[in-house]
Amino acid sequence: MVEMVTNQSPARAESTLAKKVAAQSVWLKLGALFALALLPRILFVWQNRFDGLYGQDAYAYFNYAREMFTTLAHAQPPPFWWPLGYPALLNIGLALFGNEVAAAQAITLLAGAALAPVTYLLTREIAPEKSREVSALVAGTLLALGGQVVQSSIVVMADAPALLWATLSAWLLLRYRRTLAALWLAGSAVTLALAVITRWENLLFALAWSSALAAVWITHTIDSKKMARATFISFIFAALMVAPQLIYKFASNAPLAGQSWLESWSPANFFARSFDNVDGHFDYALPVGIFYAQVFFHPAYLFALLTPGLILGAARVLKNFRADAAVPVLMLGWLLFTYFFLAGIPYENFRFGLGFFSPVAALAGVGVGWTWEKIYTGNGFALRGACSRAQRVRAAFVAIVVLALVITIFWEPRVLEAVLKQKRLELAQADWLARTLPPNATVFTFAATGALRTYGALQIADLSEESPDTIVEKVRAASPAYLFVNVANIEMQWRGRALEQSVRVLRDQLWLKEMGGVEGWTLFRIGAAP
C-alpha cells in the first residue's frame, strides 16, 4: 500500500503543477486582455482631451449622479426617473475621487475595459475544451478593440457597465451549472439584478438567464433542498439590489425609462423606416430589423468575415443541447430576445446593439476556435490532401481572422470620430455664445442644454421643460432673452409637437430677430411684439 502511494505521488504532483501553470496562464491572458482594452480607451481620452460628455444622455447621467449624491446625503429621493444602477455606480467614483466628470468617466472606462477579460471567461465556459483558449482569446479581443465597445466605454453612459454586469452574470451562472456551488449562483443573481437596474433592456437577458437556470436543474441531478436553499439565498441577494429601484418607483410613481418602446413595440416595425414616436418624427435609411442586425456583420461590432464563425458557434452549442441545454438557452436566448425586441421598437440607435454583443462575440469565438482546432489537428474536411495544402488552408484561415481583427481596429476611429464631432460642436456653441451674448442673458434652447450649462455661464432654459405660457412669462421677466435652436431639426423632427409650438409662440406672440449662428444652429433675440 505504501508503495502504491509512493508511485502515485509524482503523478499527483505533476497534475497539481499542471493546474497551477494553467491557472497562471489564464490570469496572464486576463491581464493582457484588460491591458489591451485599457490602452486605446486611455489614449483616445488623453489625445483628444475628451471628458466623456456629449449629446444629451451623457450630461443627463452625470448630473443625475451628482444630484443623486447630494439628495441621498440629505435623505431625499433621487432627482430623475432613469434606472438607479448606473448613477449609483458613478457615485462610487464621485465619492472616492471628487465630484468631477473625470471620476465618472474613469468608472465607466474601467467597466468597459473589464468586458474583454470577462467575455474571455464566458467564452471558455461555452467552448469545446480543445479549442477554448483560441475561442476565448478571439472573443476577448473583439470586446477589447471593437469600435462601439470602445466608444461606449469612454462616454458617461450606462451601456458598457450594463453589458459588463450581464456578461459577468452569464459567466457566474455557467460556473454554477458546472460546479453546483451556491456561491456562484448568488453572485450571478446579484450581477443580474445590477444589469437590470442599469438598463431595462437587460430584463430580456433576465428571461434567458431564468430559462438557463431551469435547464441546469433539469439536466443535473440536484438535491431539492440544496437547490431550494441556493435559489432562496440568491433571490434574497438579488431582491436587495433591486429593492431601492422598486421603492423609488412606487414611492414617486415615476415612469420606467424605455417604457414607451415597450408600448410601441410591433413586428411591423421590423420592416419600417419612418416613425412618429415620443422623440419626434424620424426617417431612417434602413428598416429597423436590418439596422440592429448590423451587430452581426458591421466592423464596429463583428466584421462580416467573422459572421460565419458566429453561425458555426451557434451550431456547436446547439449540437450539445441535450447534454448541456443551459449554454444554448442562455447564449442564444440572450442574443435573440434582445435583438428581436430592438428590431420591433420605433427607433434606431447604433449603440443599443451593444446590449447583446457579448454573446455574439463569444459564439463567434467558439466558431473560430472550433474551425481552427479542426484545421490544426487535420480532422476536418479542409485537410484531406497533401501537407502543403493543409499548410495553405491553415495560413488562409489565420489570415482571414487576423484581417477581420485588423479591420475592426482600423474602423475604431470612425466610430469615435462621431463622438468627437458632436463634442467639437458643443464646445464651439458654448464659446460662440459666450463671446456673442452679455453675461446676464437667458438662452432658451433644446438638445444643447447640457453642454451650454456645463461649459458656459449663461442662464440656460430648456424648451422641453417649459410650456408656451411659462416661456412667454420668463421671456418678459428676463432681459435680455434669446432663442438658440437648430431650426431644421425643430421643423422636421418636432413638426406639430410641443417644441415646434413653443417656437411658434415666441414668433407669434413676441418676436424673433436672427443674430447669426454656428454650424446649423441659429441665435434669435427675443423681444416684445413690435
Side-chain angles (χ1 to χ4, degrees):
M1 179 66 68
V2 174
E3 184 179 358
M4 289 179 63
V5 172
T6 304
N7 290 338
Q8 291 178 354
S9 295
R12 290 178 179 176
E14 184 177 348
S15 175
T16 302
L17 179 61
K19 290 180 180 179
K20 288 182 178 180
V21 171
Q24 290 174 353
S25 175
V26 170
W27 281 107
L28 285 173
K29 291 168 185 173
L30 290 173
L33 283 169
F34 183 71
L36 181 66
L38 201 60
L39 182 61
R41 291 157 171 81
I42 291 178
L43 281 177
F44 177 83
V45 170
W46 176 70
Q47 289 177 344
N48 297 283
R49 300 181 182 275
F50 179 66
D51 61 4
L53 300 177
Y54 89 107
Q56 298 182 67
D57 289 357
Y59 293 99
Y61 268 124
F62 179 56
N63 291 326
Y64 185 5
R66 288 203 301 185
E67 293 173 26
M68 181 182 186
F69 188 72
T70 303
T71 54
L72 289 179
H74 293 84
Q76 297 174 354
F80 206 27
W81 44 263
W82 286 3
L84 299 175
Y86 181 58
L89 178 65
L90 293 186
N91 271 283
I92 297 175
L94 299 179
L96 292 176
F97 306 113
N99 202 21
E100 301 296 333
V101 67
Q105 186 186 39
I107 290 292
T108 311
L109 191 149
L110 290 172
L115 272 166
V118 174
T119 303
Y120 168 89
L121 291 172
L122 174 63
T123 310
R124 287 184 92 250
E125 286 293 326
I126 68 173
E129 184 176 356
K130 292 182 180 180
S131 60
R132 67 182 184 184
E133 290 303 326
V134 172
S135 301
L137 286 171
V138 170
T141 302
L142 288 170
L143 268 294
L145 302 175
Q148 186 56 54
V149 188
V150 175
Q151 185 199 88
S152 295
S153 302
I154 60 173
V155 299
V156 182
M157 284 194 274
D159 304 88
L163 183 61
L164 174 64
W165 293 131
T167 308
L168 185 57
S169 177
W171 173 62
L172 291 170
L173 179 62
L174 294 181
R175 289 280 292 183
Y176 170 72
R177 134 268 193 189
R178 182 159 55 85
T179 64
L180 299 181
L183 184 61
W184 295 112
L185 182 59
S188 182
V190 168
T191 47
L192 169 66
L194 289 171
V196 169
I197 64 171
T198 301
R199 276 192 67 84
W200 296 128
E201 179 182 298
N202 281 318
L203 284 168
L204 299 161
F205 168 70
L207 178 60
W209 186 94
S210 302
S211 302
L213 179 59
V216 172
W217 293 338
I218 292 171
T219 56
H220 291 71
T221 302
I222 306 175
D223 179 79
S224 58
K225 291 184 178 180
K226 184 178 180 181
M227 179 184 69
R229 189 185 308 115
T231 305
F232 177 75
I233 293 173
S234 300
F235 175 80
I236 292 298
F237 279 122
L240 290 174
M241 301 304 299
V242 176
Q245 183 74 60
L246 296 178
I247 292 172
Y248 177 49
K249 158 65 183 170
F250 292 111
S252 63
N253 198 30
L256 295 179
Q259 182 174 315
S260 58
W261 302 142
L262 182 61
E263 294 173 348
S264 303
W265 189 93
S266 170
N269 294 336
F270 289 17
F271 313 102
R273 296 189 299 170
S274 295
F275 298 100
D276 287 285
N277 57 43
V278 293
D279 286 325
H281 176 79
F282 296 92
D283 293 303
Y284 297 116
L286 295 173
V288 180
I290 295 177
F291 179 85
Y292 287 112
Q294 291 180 101
V295 177
F296 305 130
F297 56 82
H298 195 284
Y301 284 107
L302 182 77
F303 185 49
L305 286 176
L306 295 180
T307 304
L310 169 63
I311 298 171
L312 283 173
R316 294 309 303 169
V317 299
L318 279 172
K319 186 177 181 180
N320 202 35
F321 183 87
R322 289 188 177 181
D324 192 6
V327 170
V329 168
L330 177 65
M331 303 301 291
L332 294 176
W334 181 5
L335 187 161
L336 294 174
F337 291 160
T338 311
Y339 166 72
F340 280 111
F341 171 72
L342 292 176
I345 65 174
Y347 189 73
E348 294 182 0
N349 190 316
F350 195 69
R351 66 182 175 86
F352 286 0
L354 190 66
F356 63 98
F357 185 47
S358 284
V360 168
L363 291 171
V366 170
V368 170
W370 177 82
T371 305
W372 168 250
E373 189 271 331
K374 290 297 182 182
I375 292 174
Y376 184 77
T377 59
N379 294 328
F381 62 90
L383 298 186
R384 294 172 184 169
C387 181
S388 59
R389 182 189 173 193
Q391 292 173 344
R392 288 196 300 270
V393 171
R394 292 169 185 165
F397 179 74
V398 171
I400 290 172
V401 175
V402 171
L403 178 61
L405 295 176
V406 168
I407 291 174
T408 298
I409 295 171
F410 276 92
W411 199 269
E412 186 180 293
R414 293 180 178 229
V415 185
L416 300 178
E417 177 58 27
V419 173
L420 287 181
K421 182 179 179 180
Q422 178 64 30
K423 185 68 176 185
R424 287 192 292 264
L425 172 62
E426 293 169 356
L427 294 176
Q429 289 173 336
D431 179 67
W432 184 76
L433 289 175
R435 290 185 286 105
T436 303
L437 301 180
N440 63 334
T442 297
V443 180
F444 290 84
T445 188
F446 176 71
T449 307
L452 296 181
R453 286 175 176 170
T454 302
Y455 303 114
L458 301 170
Q459 297 295 318
I460 305 298
D462 195 303
L463 289 171
S464 67
E465 300 171 359
E466 308 285 348
S467 68
D469 291 339
T470 61
I471 291 174
V472 172
E473 181 181 344
K474 286 186 176 182
V475 167
R476 288 174 174 166
S479 180
Y482 299 85
L483 175 68
F484 184 60
V485 292
N486 185 325
V487 176
N489 173 260
I490 295 292
E491 292 178 349
M492 177 62 69
Q493 182 176 341
W494 300 101
R495 181 174 57 239
R497 308 268 180 145
L499 278 172
E500 188 199 23
Q501 294 169 6
S502 296
V503 174
R504 191 183 303 119
V505 165
L506 293 175
R507 184 193 64 200
D508 296 342
Q509 296 188 23
L510 303 173
W511 63 268
L512 299 176
K513 179 182 178 180
E514 185 173 336
M515 297 185 62
V518 53
E519 297 191 38
W521 286 66
T522 306
L523 178 67
F524 299 91
R525 173 68 188 269
I526 308 174

